[in-house]
Amino acid sequence: KNEVEQSPQNLTAQEGEFITINCSYSVGISALHWLQQHPGGGIVSLFMLSSGKKKHGRLIATINIQEKHSSLHITASHPRDSAVYICAVKAGGGSNYKLTFGKGTLLTVNP
Amino acid sequence: EPEVTQTPSHQVTQMGQEVILRCVPISNHLYFYWYRQILGQKVEFLVSFYNNEISEKSEIFDDQFSVERPDGSNFTLKIRSTKLEDSAMYFCASLKDSQSNQPQHFGDGTRLSIL
């Protein structure tokens, strides 16, 4: 069973700060998701990656498969980035996979 | 951009009653999922569905739960006799196919409250 740990659990930042959220997992995976959950509850997929680095706007996700670790970075953070950020992993091959989720990191960006 | 839609957004039901949560996955997607998130806890996998049958289910998905794709567009989760501990946010997700390395797309969830 894969254990997914995120840190920190809560993060408060000032607008403009650089944010890093970390995710580690215990068992080898084939891909890792970063997801965003807003206060209303809906989940949006930000990235899926299996190696290296991906960038979308102010968001950057990296993964180190050997170290079983991924980071999500937010540059020039903004109050609208305030949300819960969730790491979820996919184990095994194929596409009909289930995801195992971390507990999430609650990010609050103050103006 | 196509979306996964879920209805209702909030369902309040008396304990012991049956409830059906509805999802319309993205139209050309082939793999469907239900997840659950109890308030304050992590999201948990319930069941995956492909080619009109369950592919995998978790230990949470006991005999009280069932899923169905009654037509070409809907994907439903039924809880036969609800318990207080079934109160949670239920998310539907869909995935396109096995060839592309694509993420699952999630709906906005149904908040189920059991009284």
Side-chain angles (χ1 to χ4, degrees), chain A residues 11-106:
Chain A
L11 181 56
T12 300
Q14 288 300 119
E15 184 173 355
E17 284 185 4
F18 181 83
I19 304 291
T20 296
I21 299 170
N22 296 298
C23 174
S24 60
Y25 49 90
S26 57
V27 177
I29 62 169
S30 54
L32 181 143
H33 286 248
W34 280 103
L35 307 158
Q36 183 189 55
Q37 185 173 31
H38 277 281
I43 293 176
V44 175
S45 182
L46 299 174
F47 294 103
M48 188 173 84
L49 63 166
S50 52
S51 65
K53 179 177 169 177
K54 284 192 176 179
K55 185 174 188 295
H56 185 252
R58 294 180 294 105
L59 301 178
I60 304 166
T62 63
I63 188 168
N64 185 320
I65 295 292
Q66 286 73 30
E67 294 188 3
K68 297 187 178 63
H69 181 269
S70 175
S71 293
L72 176 69
H73 305 285
I74 305 175
T75 61
S77 58
H78 190 276
R80 66 174 174 265
D81 297 327
S82 298
V84 175
Y85 291 84
I86 302 172
C87 169
V89 301
K90 164 193 170 186
S95 69
N96 188 22
Y97 57 84
K98 66 179 185 183
L99 294 173
T100 302
F101 292 76
K103 287 186 177 178
T105 295
L106 174 60

Side-chain angles (χ1 to χ4, degrees), chain A residues 95-97, chain B residues 29-33 93-97 102-104:
Chain A
S95 69
N96 188 22
Y97 57 84
Chain B
H29 284 196
L30 300 177
Y31 300 86
F32 313 114
Y33 307 84
S94 70
L95 178 68
K96 188 175 182 183
D97 60 42
Q102 293 289 316
Q104 294 180 19

